[in-house]
Amino acid sequence: MSEPIKTDVLIIGAGPCGLFAVFELGLLDMKTHLVDILDKIGGQCAELYPEKPIYDIPGVPYCTAQGLVDSLMAQIKPFKPEFHLQEMVQTIEKIGDPLFGVKTDSGKLFEAKVVVIAAGGGSFQPKRPPIPGIEVYEDKSVFYSVRRMDSFRGKRILIVGGGDSALDWTLNLAPLASHLTLLHRRDQFRAAPDSVNKMMALVGEGKIDFVLGQVAALKGDGGQIATAIVKTNDGSNFEIACDALLPFFGLTMKLGPVANWGIEMKDTELITVDAASFETSVPGIFAIGDINWYPGKLKLILCGFHEAALMSQKAHRYVYPDKRLIFQYTTSSSSLQKKLGVA
Ligand SMILES: Cc1cc2nc3c(=O)[nH]c(=O)nc-3n(C[C@H](O)[C@H](O)[C@H](O)COP(=O)(O)OP(=O)(O)OC[C@H]3O[C@@H](n4cnc5c(N)ncnc54)[C@H](O)[C@@H]3O)c2cc1C
C-alpha cells in the first residue's frame, strides 16, 4: 500500500464548483488536491456540454461551458492545485480530529484535514451496450475507458460508437493495435469532423477497418473475447475476431459511492448541508454544488460558487484552529494579491 498523500483539503469532483473551491480555499492559504473519475477537468461542463453557451455566470454575459472551465483553470493557477484524474473516491474514514483518510478505487490514499464533496450528480458511468452476457467480459477484455494505452499494444481491438470517445480512441490506439476495427451503426458521427476525417484517412490507407453494424453477441472463454458477432443493417450476421472490445455509448450519472459515506442525505440522492457553511452532518466534511441540498437550493453554477466561498471560511477553522481569519477584498489586500501573483 502506498504512502498517503497529505493535504489540507481534498476536493472530490473537479467540476466548476470544485474548481472554484480551490480559489476560495487558496486565498485563505489552504492547499488542495482534487480527485475526479473523469479523464478530464470540468465535470458536467466539460463532459456533457462543452460547446453550449452559458449566459448566467455573473459578470460574464456569454461563455461556452469549456470556456468557463478554461477560465477557472487560469484563475486557480496561482494555487497550484494537484489533480488526480480517472480515480473514483470509494471511502472516507475519520482517522483523527480533524483528519480524514480517503481511498480511491485504484488504492490511492489521501490524508486531509477537510474533505469537500463537489461530486455533482455523482459519478458518470458508462452506458452498457445491450449485448447478452457482456458482464463476464467486463474489465477482462471489454473496457469502457482506456486507463493505460500500452495494455492494448499488439491486440486486435474492436471499438464501437460514433462519438468523440470512440473516434479519439480509434485514432490513439490505431498505431498500437495489431488490427483495429471501428464499428458504428450508421455512417454519420457525433464526433468532431476533424477526427472523422482523420479516421477515414486511416481507413483509406488500409490501416484500420470501418464497419457498419451492431454487436449482437460475444464468443469467448473465461472472460476473454475471441469473436464479436456483428449484425449489419440488412439483418445479416458476420464475425470479427478480436482480443478487446471498447464500447463508447456515452455516460449516465449515478450517485455511486457517495451514498455509503455515512453522511446525512436528503431523499437518498443529495447531501444535506447547513446553509451557513455548507458543512454536512459530519464535522469537517463539506458539500457544495449540485450534490448538496438546503432549503431554496438551486442547481446553478453561480450558487455553487457562493457555497465555495462560505465553505472556505469554516474550513479555515479546521485547518488553522489557532489562526484568526481576517476578511479581506482582493481589490485592496496586498497579501491576497501576493498570493494571486499580481502584487
Ligand atoms: C446541458 C446542461 C446545461 C446546463 N446549463 C447551465 C447553465 O446555463 N447555467 C448554470 O448555472 N448551470 C447549468 N447547468 C448545470 C451545471 O452544469 C451544474 O450546476 C454544474 O456542473 C454543477 O457543478 P458541480 O461542480 O457541482 O458538479 P459536476 O459538474 O457534476 O462535477 C462533479 C464531478 O464530480 C466527479 N465525481 C462524482 N463522484 C465522484 C467520486 N466518488 N470520486 C471522484 N469524482 C467524483 C464527477 O466525475 C464530476 O466530474 C447545465 C447542465 C447541463 C447538463
Side-chain angles (χ1 to χ4, degrees):
M1 186 87 39
S2 56
E3 273 292 295
I5 297 166
K6 296 189 178 174
T7 180
D8 292 332
V9 182
L10 183 81
I11 302 174
I12 302 170
C17 303
L19 294 179
F20 194 64
V22 172
F23 184 81
E24 290 294 329
L25 291 160
L27 283 181
L28 305 184
D29 292 323
M30 287 175 271
K31 168 86 192 143
T32 47
H33 281 250
L34 298 95
V35 182
D36 203 297
I37 303 163
L38 296 177
D39 59 359
K40 55 167 92 70
I41 292 165
Q44 292 176 48
C45 293
E47 185 65 35
L48 299 181
Y49 62 109
E51 292 178 354
K52 281 209 164 111
I54 305 184
Y55 300 102
D56 56 355
I57 302 300
V60 182
Y62 161 88
C63 65
T64 62
Q66 185 59 49
L68 174 65
V69 173
D70 295 343
S71 299
L72 286 165
M73 287 300 286
Q75 195 169 19
I76 66 178
K77 198 169 171 218
F79 302 113
K80 301 187 177 66
E82 289 183 47
F83 289 92
H84 306 266
L85 299 179
Q86 292 189 288
E87 302 262 354
M88 170 155 73
V89 170
Q90 285 283 17
T91 57
I92 305 179
E93 195 191 342
K94 191 167 165 59
I95 53 171
D97 202 17
L99 202 60
F100 296 95
V102 176
K103 195 171 166 191
T104 70
D105 56 345
S106 76
K108 204 177 259 187
L109 294 173
F110 296 88
E111 270 182 26
K113 293 173 190 159
V114 163
V115 174
V116 176
I117 305 172
S123 45
F124 293 92
Q125 304 209 342
K127 285 189 191 152
R128 180 184 269 164
I131 305 170
I134 190 169
E135 314 80 64
V136 297
Y137 299 99
E138 285 172 352
D139 295 328
K140 297 189 184 98
S141 55
V142 170
F143 304 95
Y144 298 107
S145 64
V146 177
R147 292 216 165 184
R148 228 172 41 85
M149 287 205 337
D150 213 50
S151 60
F152 294 95
R153 187 177 291 281
K155 294 204 168 153
R156 295 168 302 173
I157 303 173
L158 175 59
I159 294 182
V160 189
D164 282 314
S165 298
L167 271 285
D168 287 352
W169 285 119
T170 297
L171 300 177
N172 280 298
L173 292 174
L176 299 181
S178 71
H179 185 263
L180 190 145
T181 306
L182 174 66
L183 177 72
H184 186 38
R185 65 194 153 83
R186 53 199 184 117
D187 59 4
Q188 279 159 347
F189 296 88
R190 279 173 289 110
D194 180 53
S195 307
V196 177
N197 293 340
K198 285 184 179 146
M199 181 276 290
M200 285 302 190
L202 290 179
V203 174
E205 290 160 24
K207 293 189 172 151
I208 64 168
D209 288 331
F210 171 57
V211 175
L212 284 173
Q214 298 179 58
V215 178
L218 299 172
K219 278 196 221 161
D221 192 24
Q224 177 54 56
I225 298 181
T227 317
I229 298 158
V230 173
K231 194 174 173 185
T232 59
N233 295 345
D234 65 11
S236 60
N237 285 349
F238 69 96
E239 294 191 353
I240 297 179
C242 58
D243 308 306
L245 169 68
L246 281 75
F248 293 108
F249 283 25
L251 299 164
T252 54
M253 283 170 86
K254 289 205 182 125
L255 188 60
V258 176
N260 308 325
W261 294 341
I263 299 170
E264 193 182 299
M265 308 283 291
K266 160 94 175 157
D267 299 335
T268 69
E269 291 274 296
L270 301 166
I271 298 175
T272 314
V273 287
D274 166 11
S277 61
F278 303 98
E279 195 164 24
T280 68
S281 60
V282 180
I285 302 185
F286 296 80
I288 61 168
D290 277 14
I291 192 82
N292 75 12
W293 182 87
Y294 51 95
K297 167 73 184 181
L298 284 179
K299 287 190 184 182
L300 282 176
I301 295 166
L302 72 91
C303 296
F305 288 174
H306 157 81
E307 293 159 13
L310 268 62
M311 170 278 294
S312 302
Q313 300 283 314
K314 179 90 186 262
H316 187 270
R317 286 198 224 159
Y318 291 109
V319 176
Y320 298 110
D322 303 324
K323 260 197 207 169
R324 211 176 117 238
L325 185 58
I326 300 162
F327 178 78
Q328 299 177 87
Y329 290 124
T330 55
T331 33
S332 43
S333 158
S334 56
S335 104
L336 292 185
Q337 288 167 5
K338 227 178 253 164
K339 291 176 202 176
L340 291 168
V342 291

